[in-house]
Amino acid sequence: MKSLNIWFHIGFWIAYTLIYTLIQASYKGDYEGAFIYELMNLPLRLAVVYFNYFYLLPRFLLKGKVVNYFVYTIITLCIAGFFQRIINYELLNILNPEMRDYGLWLPYKFLQSTVIIASPLIFVIGISVVWKVSQLQKRTNELENEKLQSELKYLKSQINPHFLFNTLNNIYGLSLENSKKTPELILKLSDFLSFSLYESNQKMIPLDKEIALMTDFITLEKSRFEDRVAIDFSKPKSTENISIPPLILVPFVENAFKHSLKDETKIADIAIDLKIDNDMLLFEVKNSKSHNITESNTKKGLGLENIKKRLDILYGSDYELAINDSKHLFSINLKIKYL
């Protein structure tokens, strides 16, 4: 990039000098004299442009001090215009008297010199500002993306241990009873660990894998609570070529089990309905709530809060999540666009 930047500046000054040589020569037809005239004024123009480029631009304009930048730029141009008038008047008298620039102190001549010096400055600084702003915007977007990815990883790191913690508790409870189901559940837990280590780090996974994870989770919970929970799980027959972010659906199911089984004396009802409608995924989870236990709004669990944050990051405003929390029923309706 630095090499390209240098060649851009070299190419610009070559083109600038040739163009102004042609303009000057068009008046008197003296191409050699016009070229000498441009070379004679080139050092002053270079000094003005690169004083602005290396000093005024980063010190004032790029730091938001716009007024200071323009004040110092105007002062620089006025001083440079004054010196160019003297250079043109004195040196041309020596080098090429035929092109001598008469009228040293004429105001319009002074203004003309200032404008001529300003023309390359405006072009070079304008291009540089646009380039620097685009680079800053690119870097800002990269940092924002890095921030979002870090936040997603953080939210996943909260979801996975929380999910595994509940599963371990289930297995522990059955192991105390010397249940024959314990080896099968340990195998299920192995699948969860495999998913946590490998699959959840992917940006997208097949919907089939998320459904399999939900099915395993339901199996584990049913093994623990047996007849205390009635589950109705409806899912589409075909989910081929459908992908979603990992752990988008499972936390809602986890939340349903957690908050429907607070009452040891009641049978919990959980209904899970997953549908595909055109390019939309429709997901509904309903769970009964205890009649005797009042839950604090601050104790909804990490899963539900985290999944809402993840949906905001992943989909912005391109998703719909409706939550209904009534006295004896809790339900969520999620609508997202799948890939």
Side-chain angles (χ1 to χ4, degrees):
M1 294 307 297
K2 289 182 178 179
S3 177
L4 287 174
N5 192 34
I6 291 171
W7 282 110
F8 163 76
H9 285 269
I10 292 173
F12 167 76
W13 286 111
I14 291 174
Y16 176 87
T17 301
L18 293 176
I19 289 171
Y20 270 83
T21 296
L22 293 175
I23 293 173
Q24 287 289 338
S26 65
Y27 292 120
K28 297 183 178 180
D30 184 0
Y31 287 93
E32 182 180 352
F35 185 66
I36 293 173
Y37 177 84
E38 289 304 315
L39 290 180
M40 184 178 63
N41 287 288
L42 186 60
L44 183 60
R45 294 169 186 173
L46 289 169
V48 171
V49 169
Y50 291 109
F51 171 73
N52 197 295
Y53 183 83
F54 289 111
Y55 183 76
L56 297 182
L57 181 66
R59 185 178 180 86
F60 297 108
L61 187 59
L62 295 182
K63 291 184 178 180
K65 300 177 181 179
V66 179
V67 175
N68 294 34
Y69 171 77
F70 280 107
V71 168
Y72 285 117
T73 297
I74 291 170
I75 292 173
T76 303
L77 288 172
C78 290
I79 294 172
F82 173 77
F83 279 104
Q84 181 164 312
R85 291 299 301 137
I86 296 176
I87 291 170
N88 290 350
Y89 188 83
E90 297 296 337
L91 288 184
L92 280 176
N93 187 41
I94 299 172
L95 297 175
N96 195 342
E98 293 182 3
M99 292 191 66
R100 185 175 181 183
D101 195 356
Y102 294 97
L104 177 61
W105 302 112
L106 289 176
Y108 83 90
K109 288 284 189 179
F110 176 81
L111 180 62
Q112 184 184 54
S113 297
T114 303
V115 170
I116 290 174
I117 295 175
S119 61
L121 175 65
I122 292 171
F123 186 86
V124 172
I125 298 303
I127 294 295
S128 299
V129 168
V130 170
W131 174 257
K132 289 181 183 295
V133 169
S134 67
Q135 291 297 103
L136 287 172
Q137 185 62 47
K138 181 180 178 181
R139 181 55 182 157
T140 300
N141 292 339
E142 289 175 352
L143 290 173
E144 184 65 23
N145 185 59
E146 290 173 6
K147 178 184 176 183
L148 291 178
Q149 292 302 319
S150 297
E151 189 171 352
L152 279 173
K153 289 180 181 179
Y154 171 71
L155 293 174
K156 285 181 183 179
S157 72
Q158 285 188 308
I159 291 172
N160 294 347
H162 182 62
F163 183 72
L164 295 174
F165 176 77
N166 288 342
T167 304
L168 283 170
N169 275 344
N170 294 350
I171 295 175
Y172 175 72
L174 291 172
S175 67
L176 292 178
E177 301 172 0
N178 293 320
S179 172
K180 295 181 180 180
K181 298 178 181 178
T182 303
E184 178 187 351
L185 298 183
I186 292 175
L187 185 61
K188 295 288 186 185
L189 177 58
S190 174
D191 292 337
F192 283 128
L193 287 172
S194 176
F195 186 93
S196 178
L197 289 172
Y198 303 109
E199 305 292 345
S200 67
N201 291 325
Q202 298 181 25
K203 187 176 180 180
M204 306 293 289
I205 63 168
L207 178 58
D208 286 340
K209 290 189 177 181
E210 187 84 357
I211 292 175
L213 196 66
M214 280 193 289
T215 303
D216 287 345
F217 180 82
I218 291 169
T219 300
L220 285 167
E221 293 292 71
K222 287 184 70 174
S223 297
R224 180 185 177 191
F225 295 104
E226 296 181 342
D227 296 333
R228 285 188 52 224
V229 58
I231 301 171
D232 180 16
F233 186 13
S234 175
K235 55 188 176 181
K237 293 181 179 179
S238 176
T239 58
E240 189 177 357
N241 299 323
I242 297 177
S243 298
I244 62 171
L247 294 173
I248 283 290
L249 307 180
V250 173
F252 290 117
V253 178
E254 180 188 10
N255 187 74
F257 274 96
K258 180 178 180 181
H259 295 289
S260 64
L261 292 164
K262 292 282 187 178
D263 194 333
E264 296 291 335
T265 62
K266 298 290 182 181
I267 296 177
D269 292 307
I270 298 175
I272 304 166
D273 187 18
L274 180 63
K275 296 178 180 178
I276 304 298
D277 184 13
N278 294 326
D279 61 346
M280 301 300 295
L281 186 147
L282 310 177
F283 187 58
E284 181 181 35
V285 180
K286 298 179 181 178
N287 65 269
S288 59
K289 294 172 64 177
S290 169
H291 292 210
N292 302 321
I293 299 176
T294 302
E295 297 182 41
S296 169
N297 289 332
T298 60
K299 295 181 179 180
K300 295 293 185 182
L302 289 173
L304 189 58
E305 291 302 317
N306 284 349
I307 198 62
K308 288 166 66 177
K309 292 179 182 177
R310 288 184 64 211
L311 286 168
D312 287 337
I313 293 173
L314 292 168
Y315 292 97
S317 59
D318 295 333
Y319 79 95
E320 296 179 18
L321 177 62
I323 299 176
N324 180 29
D325 191 0
S326 61
K327 184 177 181 180
H328 300 305
L329 181 70
F330 184 89
S331 67
I332 67 97
N333 282 275
L334 175 65
K335 182 186 290 187
I336 58 175
K337 189 173 184 178
Y338 64 80
L339 297 178

